[in-house]
Amino acid sequence: MSLVHISTPKPKDVTQKVVDALALAIHEHRLAPATKLGEDEIGEIYNVSRTVVRAALQSLAHIQLVEIQRNKGAFVASPTPREAREVFEARALLEPRTARSAASRATPNDIEILKDHIAKEHAALDVGDNGRALNLSGRFHIEIARIADQDTIRRFIETLIARSSLVIALYWRRESALCESHAHHALVQAIADGDEQNAEELMQSHLVDLNSALDFRDRPAQTLNLRELLQATDQ
Amino acid sequence: MSLVHISTPKPKDVTQKVVDALALAIHEHRLAPATKLGEDEIGEIYNVSRTVVRAALQSLAHIQLVEIQRNKGAFVASPTPREAREVFEARALLEPRTARSAASRATPNDIEILKDHIAKEHAALDVGDNGRALNLSGRFHIEIARIADQDTIRRFIETLIARSSLVIALYWRRESALCESHAHHALVQAIADGDEQNAEELMQSHLVDLNSALDFRDRPAQTLNLRELLQATDQ
DNA sequence: TGCAGCAATATTGTATACAATAAAGTATAT
DNA sequence: ATATACTTTATTGTATACAATATTGCTGCA
């Protein structure tokens, strides 16, 4: 199942296409948190029926990229400061160990793939396409989880990376240093060397760095969120 | 979202009812791995349309309690030995830390809830209802994650517990000692005492014990699985 | 008998139609 | 002029209808 999700050419899975398109838009920050995702609207855009749109939205809701409110509709998720903190706490718990595993298992081909990711990331940054760079940075982390060869934990990390995109959209503080490809580079080196200890520590400090670039104190305060938060008549 | 999932009375969420009913049946081992879950059939049982059945099945597929094969249908998941091992590896990574957190945060009321769980577990075992006992044992672990007050990790643990049910159905070795409520009792004591270190270690050894009661060497070899594995024409 | 190809059946994938709920607008009364 | 009740509109929730695919059974032939 999970393998299928990764590797298949997917001749005709319309739902997945919609899922991927929406997820990409969110990851690249083209869809802002709390944006309403009307079923008819999306259906018209992709020329599919509401049936498949609903399936896609439910799929995205499961990984918490969108939030569905009964009889209200689907919205791009808007993590609270608390949720945002939790996402990075969970990443700190899972990813260092995963990087260690990756260091013990990576093949030369895997290293090539990682370096390729970094190169693309640089290219995107040079062009000024921060959205794409952010997305690639996330996929870099997912790639490490894949190399670690633990499907279950990889799936968890995938959802955390996805949500990180939203967290960054809401709580990013600094202007520059968007994805510290320097850290990524060092990490690849450790993994290539099979240096498990170093890989684990580098990943840990990388996540600490990321965390320190976020500011969870002030909350989103988006129009849509405000409105729904004020009326506590939620069922 | 996740909070809603826990606390709301849910006046009319038909889909969730179907999800819960099917999940319970799987957890209690009334539905065996690889069982076909026809849409019409389930719809007739619960008097709902295929629309909601499909939504429910997709929801269950996401937490990997069922596997959906395109144009083939939905089946109760049947974890491979490898997947089974991964589930418990992930639990070993997440749950000890979570138990530690729970020990640092638990209120007297939380302790009551945990003790209540254990009591129910005993009662079910006395009646000989192993399915219900297993389900309660799983909910005990989820309860600890709830006390730890980390929604994100709790959700991960919930999916792992759910899959553990299937793993146990397929790979359980021993006859007796189904849920070692002794271990649960000691764990509650440590949490009640706020003894973080002990709680973490007890959870770790508890999971090791569970793992040692499983035998991943021989694979399921179910009729349905065999058939689909032999024909590698999957898309 | 056994197999190949085709026909019939059943099941899933998708689209549409109807029902229920929420949101918005309007009119009336104070 | 504001607030409240009602009406209208829009959107989601659910059921059904149709299309596509897979499975099964049959027929004919070697």
Side-chain angles (χ1 to χ4, degrees):
Chain A
M1 191 54 189
S2 49
L3 289 173
V4 170
H5 179 263
I6 293 180
S7 61
T8 51
K10 263 163 214 156
K12 308 175 188 175
D13 193 340
V14 194
T15 301
Q16 194 60 38
K17 280 188 182 175
V18 178
V19 168
D20 292 343
L22 289 175
L24 185 61
I26 294 173
H27 288 148
E28 292 186 347
H29 291 182
R30 299 201 310 274
L31 282 176
T35 303
K36 171 76 185 279
L37 301 172
E39 297 178 356
D40 276 321
E41 197 176 351
I42 295 172
E44 284 170 18
I45 291 171
Y46 298 109
N47 286 310
V48 291
S49 73
R50 278 181 55 216
T51 305
V52 357
V53 173
R54 280 178 74 84
L57 289 174
Q58 284 169 359
S59 183
L60 291 167
H62 180 92
I63 57 177
Q64 295 177 286
L65 269 187
V66 317
E67 178 182 353
I68 294 177
Q69 295 177 290
R70 184 173 178 85
N71 290 324
K72 301 276 185 66
F75 305 81
V76 177
S78 186
T80 64
R82 184 211 157 116
E83 289 170 332
R85 214 181 306 116
E86 280 193 8
V87 167
F88 276 84
E89 283 169 6
R91 289 186 64 173
L93 187 54
L94 293 177
E95 294 203 61
R97 286 268 199 112
T98 303
R100 169 184 280 273
S101 273
S104 75
R105 287 175 161 83
T107 68
N109 186 43
D110 291 333
I111 305 300
E112 281 311 305
I113 292 174
L114 288 178
K115 286 184 176 170
D116 195 47
H117 264 275
I118 293 179
K120 284 181 184 168
E121 207 176 320
H122 274 199
L125 279 177
D126 286 347
V127 182
D129 190 345
N130 282 12
R132 180 170 156 78
L134 176 60
N135 185 34
L136 286 165
S137 168
R139 281 169 55 188
F140 176 83
H141 284 251
I142 293 172
E143 195 59 31
I144 289 177
R146 186 197 59 74
I147 293 169
D149 201 33
Q150 282 258 351
D151 274 358
T152 301
I153 288 173
R154 178 183 54 72
R155 280 171 66 103
F156 291 159
I157 290 178
E158 280 181 9
T159 75
L160 292 172
I161 301 285
R163 297 182 72 193
S164 292
S165 223
L166 291 168
V167 171
I168 289 171
L170 287 169
Y171 301 102
W172 191 257
R173 194 166 44 176
R174 301 177 188 161
E175 280 304 315
S176 63
L178 189 125
C179 286
E180 333 73 23
S181 48
H182 178 69
H184 283 188
H185 191 77
L187 202 43
V188 169
Q189 196 55 51
I191 292 174
D193 295 345
D195 188 340
E196 301 185 23
Q197 191 63 29
N198 204 19
E200 181 168 353
E201 287 170 4
L202 281 171
M203 179 62 89
Q204 185 175 356
S205 65
H206 175 40
L207 288 172
V208 168
D209 285 348
L210 268 180
N211 212 332
S212 71
L214 297 167
D215 185 354
F216 300 133
R217 282 173 306 186
D218 49 352
R219 53 198 58 186
Q222 252 120 352
T223 59
L224 281 168
N225 259 19
L226 274 183
R227 188 180 301 177
E228 83 201 12
L229 285 176
L230 292 182
Q231 56 186 30
T233 62
D234 183 28
Q235 307 228 20
Chain B
M1 192 55 190
S2 49
L3 289 173
V4 170
H5 178 265
I6 292 180
S7 61
T8 51
K10 262 162 216 156
K12 310 175 189 177
D13 194 339
V14 194
T15 301
Q16 194 60 38
K17 279 188 182 175
V18 177
V19 169
D20 292 341
L22 289 175
L24 186 61
I26 294 173
H27 287 147
E28 292 186 347
H29 291 183
R30 299 200 311 273
L31 283 176
T35 303
K36 171 77 184 280
L37 301 173
E39 297 178 356
D40 276 321
E41 197 177 349
I42 295 172
E44 285 169 18
I45 291 171
Y46 297 110
N47 286 309
V48 292
S49 73
R50 278 181 56 217
T51 305
V52 357
V53 173
R54 280 178 73 85
L57 290 174
Q58 284 170 358
S59 183
L60 291 167
H62 181 91
I63 57 177
Q64 293 179 289
L65 269 187
V66 318
E67 179 183 352
I68 294 177
Q69 295 176 290
R70 184 173 177 88
N71 289 325
K72 299 278 183 64
F75 305 82
V76 178
S78 186
T80 63
R82 186 211 155 116
E83 289 170 332
R85 214 179 309 114
E86 279 194 7
V87 167
F88 276 85
E89 284 169 5
R91 289 185 64 174
L93 187 54
L94 293 178
E95 293 203 62
R97 286 271 197 111
T98 303
R100 170 184 279 272
S101 272
S104 76
R105 288 177 161 82
T107 68
N109 186 43
D110 291 332
I111 305 300
E112 281 311 305
I113 292 174
L114 288 178
K115 287 185 176 171
D116 196 46
H117 263 275
I118 294 180
K120 284 180 184 168
E121 207 177 321
H122 275 198
L125 279 176
D126 287 346
V127 183
D129 191 345
N130 282 12
R132 180 170 156 78
L134 175 61
N135 184 35
L136 286 165
S137 169
R139 281 169 54 187
F140 176 83
H141 285 249
I142 293 172
E143 194 59 31
I144 289 176
R146 185 196 60 74
I147 293 170
D149 201 33
Q150 282 260 352
D151 275 359
T152 301
I153 289 173
R154 178 183 54 72
R155 279 172 67 105
F156 291 160
I157 289 178
E158 280 180 10
T159 76
L160 292 171
I161 300 287
R163 297 182 73 194
S164 292
S165 225
L166 291 169
V167 171
I168 289 171
L170 287 168
Y171 301 102
W172 191 257
R173 194 165 43 176
R174 301 178 188 160
E175 281 302 317
S176 62
L178 189 127
C179 287
E180 336 71 23
S181 47
H182 178 67
H184 284 188
H185 191 77
L187 202 44
V188 170
Q189 196 56 52
I191 293 174
D193 295 343
D195 187 341
E196 300 185 23
Q197 190 63 29
N198 204 19
E200 180 168 354
E201 288 170 3
L202 281 171
M203 179 62 90
Q204 184 175 358
S205 64
H206 175 39
L207 288 171
V208 169
D209 286 347
L210 268 180
N211 213 332
S212 71
L214 296 168
D215 185 355
F216 301 132
R217 283 172 306 184
D218 49 351
R219 53 197 59 187
Q222 253 123 349
T223 59
L224 281 169
N225 260 21
L226 276 182
R227 188 181 299 176
E228 82 198 14
L229 285 177
L230 293 183
Q231 57 185 31
T233 61
D234 183 29
Q235 309 224 21

